[in-house]
Amino acid sequence: MAPRLILVSNRVNVPDVKGPRQAGGLTVAVNAALKQREGVWFGWSGNVSQDGGAPTPTVIRRRMRTYVTLDLSETDFQEYYNGFANRVLWPILHYRVDLAEFTTVDLDGYLRVNAHFADALSPFITPEDTIWVHDYHLMPLARELRARGHDNPIGFFLHIPCPPPDILEALPHHWQTIGALSHYDLVGMQTEQDAENLGRYFAIQGNQSKRTSGQYEIDGRKVIVRAFPVSIATAVYARAARNSARSPMVRELRESLGGKRLILGVDRLDYSKGIPHRIQAFGHFLDKYPEWLGKVTFLQVTPKSRVEVPEYAAMNREINGLVGQINGRHGDAAWTPIRYVNRSYSRAALAGLYRSAQVALVTPLRDGMNLVAKEYVAAQDSEGPGVLVLSQFAGAAQELDGALIINPHETEGMVEAIKHALEMPLEERKERQNRMFEQLIANDIDRWSERFLNALGESREQPGLLKGLRQLFAQRA
């Protein structure tokens, strides 16, 4: 039987037996990793407690899985989560040093919460366990666990981008956070470029001129950095899209369009997603090609996030202003060019929206992967698929070569891509769709987790011993 797996993330989604099935990207990844093994999922409960004492874990057991959650104090929430994680690490890792708001108070809070996590997790760890830590909130966790005597295989996966060393080094005290990744056995990245960027950072900090197979030696420790592009449950999502196409919500949407083409954007409200650029490009498209007036509707679904952060509130106001300008300039009593919706939709509803859209605009300024792009492809009807317009700065662009790849900073290029997508012949759409769908089937979420965990297990093996054993067996054969 496989070793028990302990997954650690900032948030834990404990399944509600009476509620809807959870299907966020991290939840899907956890389900894939724990499909064939016993496991623990550890992290923040999502609750903020007014009690200033040390957090006490809550333990919930469901069959082969154990969910262990902690509340955060108000101070920890502000300094660790709102402060350092989301107002320092998030912008810097998305190449936006100009937006980072560093304070030593927030850094201390980030390090303190990681230490709290290590303290609370330690009693649940046995020597045989494998540990897999997820995302930028918990980069120092392996260092904290090692300091508490845990010599388990520990892997880390960064779900967002990793910029070049000169940007990483712009972070004050970067070795306490980015450098702490050197305490993991394996660090997984979304793309080869991300892996190369972190590898060069390690090489510079460790004064190394040579490296082999992405392996670096830092202060006597060995860490492997490799790309593992995250994916989705492709077949499951495709089936959900087929089923949801018959739902009342999708039927009402289609009726409301009155035969007009649908362009769709689905993004959390964040400056990395390039939503204002996309909306401006659609407005320019209507300016340049008035023959499409009254024939196409752009639906932008944008659940609000981090609404307590002033920059995000300002962004929402900017988007509302742009939408109002374009609708006022081009709309009439019978047609609204842009529908801007600030609400969340269920997994099934989103699958239905994807399948109904003739074009999807997935145009982030920078994104680790962007699973919306993959979900859109998985949701399409193979006999009449839509067209994906995809930013070259999304990790998904490295795999989905059937998309129309654009630079989101080039408005005219986006305008022409929208026109091309709307006018693309059926046979070309089918060829592009089939190519991308086959890629997603061959590299779904189950294979992603399997590849990562296999590589993590191999990171502790002795290459010389393995090579000798292989040679011995080859000679006997």
Side-chain angles (χ1 to χ4, degrees):
M1 186 175 178
R4 191 179 68 157
L5 178 62
I6 297 178
L7 289 124
V8 189
S9 61
N10 173 59
R11 283 289 300 274
V12 173
N13 292 322
V14 180
D16 183 352
V17 293
K18 298 181 180 179
R21 183 180 178 185
Q22 299 164 336
L26 182 59
T27 301
V28 172
V30 169
N31 287 338
L34 295 178
K35 186 174 289 186
Q36 303 295 336
R37 63 172 79 203
E38 180 185 359
V40 175
W41 189 4
F42 177 97
W44 176 35
S45 65
N47 298 322
V48 177
S49 170
Q50 299 306 314
D51 183 3
T56 301
T58 298
V59 181
I60 300 174
R61 291 183 171 85
R62 300 272 170 83
R63 296 182 181 178
M64 292 180 64
R65 300 186 189 180
T66 301
Y67 300 87
V68 182
T69 61
L70 296 175
D71 293 347
L72 291 180
S73 70
E74 178 64 30
T75 300
D76 287 345
F77 174 73
Q78 293 299 337
E79 295 174 1
Y80 151 77
Y81 183 74
N82 269 354
F84 196 79
N86 287 320
R87 303 191 79 169
V88 180
L89 289 178
W90 178 269
I92 284 178
L93 293 173
H94 282 86
Y95 293 63
R96 293 300 305 270
V97 177
D98 58 309
L99 296 180
E101 301 178 21
F102 176 84
T103 69
T104 55
V105 170
D106 287 345
L107 172 60
D108 290 344
Y110 178 80
L111 298 175
R112 181 179 66 249
V113 170
N114 271 267
H116 285 338
F117 272 40
D119 287 336
L121 177 59
S122 286
F124 296 91
I125 300 174
T126 70
E128 294 76 25
D129 292 335
T130 295
I131 303 172
W132 188 359
V133 181
H134 287 263
D135 229 358
Y136 62 102
H137 313 82
L138 301 171
M139 291 191 290
L141 188 62
R143 181 179 63 204
E144 297 293 339
L145 291 174
R146 301 296 188 208
R148 288 155 179 78
H150 299 292
D151 191 40
N152 305 62
I154 309 179
F156 179 90
F157 186 78
L158 184 65
H159 289 259
I160 64 176
C162 182
D166 56 340
I167 294 181
L168 296 176
E169 290 168 352
L171 171 63
H173 309 289
H174 56 84
W175 193 246
Q176 293 188 56
T177 52
I178 306 297
L181 292 174
S182 64
H183 290 262
Y184 291 89
D185 296 290
L186 174 67
V187 177
M189 295 287 172
Q190 293 280 24
T191 67
E192 294 292 347
Q193 181 182 12
D194 294 329
E196 175 65 20
N197 286 342
L198 183 63
R200 287 195 289 127
Y201 171 80
F202 280 157
I204 292 170
Q205 298 301 318
N207 296 314
Q208 298 178 51
S209 59
K210 295 182 180 180
R211 52 189 183 273
T212 305
S213 300
Q215 181 171 286
Y216 304 85
E217 186 166 337
I218 307 290
D219 296 332
R221 302 180 302 276
K222 291 183 179 179
V223 56
I224 296 173
V225 181
R226 283 179 52 188
F228 298 89
V230 73
S231 193
I232 61 172
T234 308
V236 173
Y237 206 88
R239 183 166 60 249
R242 288 193 297 271
N243 294 336
S244 65
R246 298 184 292 272
S247 70
M249 188 274 286
V250 171
R251 185 167 60 250
E252 290 174 7
L253 171 64
R254 289 174 175 167
E255 290 173 357
S256 74
L257 291 170
K260 299 177 182 65
R261 304 282 189 90
L262 176 64
I263 298 175
L264 179 66
V266 177
D267 307 87
R268 182 173 55 80
L269 183 64
D270 190 88
Y271 49 78
S272 67
K273 302 301 182 182
I275 300 171
H277 302 67
R278 183 185 313 162
I279 291 173
Q280 288 175 329
F282 181 71
H284 285 298
F285 166 75
L286 296 178
D287 293 336
K288 186 172 182 178
Y289 298 107
E291 64 269 25
W292 280 99
L293 293 173
K295 297 179 181 179
V296 61
T297 294
F298 176 26
L299 171 60
Q300 176 64 49
V301 178
T302 303
K304 292 181 181 179
S305 69
R306 303 171 190 163
V307 291
E308 68 281 354
V309 179
E311 292 86 349
Y312 288 82
M315 189 187 324
N316 191 50
R317 290 194 297 270
E318 177 191 4
I319 294 170
N320 274 304
L322 289 171
V323 170
Q325 291 172 18
I326 294 169
N327 285 342
R329 187 165 75 244
H330 292 297
D332 57 36
W335 172 61
T336 301
I338 302 176
R339 302 179 185 181
Y340 180 51
V341 180
N342 289 130
R343 58 158 291 183
S344 299
Y345 286 92
S346 68
R347 169 178 174 271
L350 279 177
L353 291 178
Y354 293 142
R355 195 172 179 90
S356 302
Q358 284 73 42
V359 179
L361 297 182
V362 183
T363 58
L365 305 182
R366 186 71 60 175
D367 222 336
M369 177 51 61
N370 197 297
L371 295 181
V372 167
K374 295 188 173 184
E375 290 171 349
Y376 178 76
V377 172
Q380 295 309 294
D381 180 352
S382 60
E383 295 304 312
V387 179
L388 174 62
V389 178
L390 181 60
S391 167
Q392 70 187 65
F393 302 116
Q398 306 302 311
E399 300 174 84
L400 302 181
D401 61 354
L404 298 179
I405 306 298
I406 57 92
N407 181 341
H409 300 282
E410 184 188 357
T411 301
E412 286 303 316
M414 292 180 68
V415 167
E416 295 308 313
I418 293 171
K419 182 174 185 292
H420 184 182
L422 289 168
E423 298 176 352
M424 186 180 293
L426 176 60
E427 289 307 311
E428 182 180 353
R429 285 189 278 129
K430 290 170 70 173
E431 188 277 327
R432 288 172 176 267
Q433 166 66 20
N434 291 340
R435 192 162 79 237
M436 293 189 291
F437 189 78
E438 289 176 1
Q439 166 70 18
L440 294 185
I441 285 289
N443 298 279
D444 68 2
I445 191 67
D446 290 330
R447 300 199 179 183
W448 172 77
S449 62
E450 181 183 356
R451 284 197 301 269
F452 185 94
L453 291 172
N454 286 343
L456 179 55
E458 293 169 359
S459 69
R460 284 296 186 94
E461 295 173 350
Q462 300 179 37
L465 176 60
L466 286 175
K467 182 178 179 181
L469 289 173
R470 292 192 186 104
Q471 291 176 344
L472 178 62
F473 287 131
Q475 292 171 358
R476 290 183 176 179

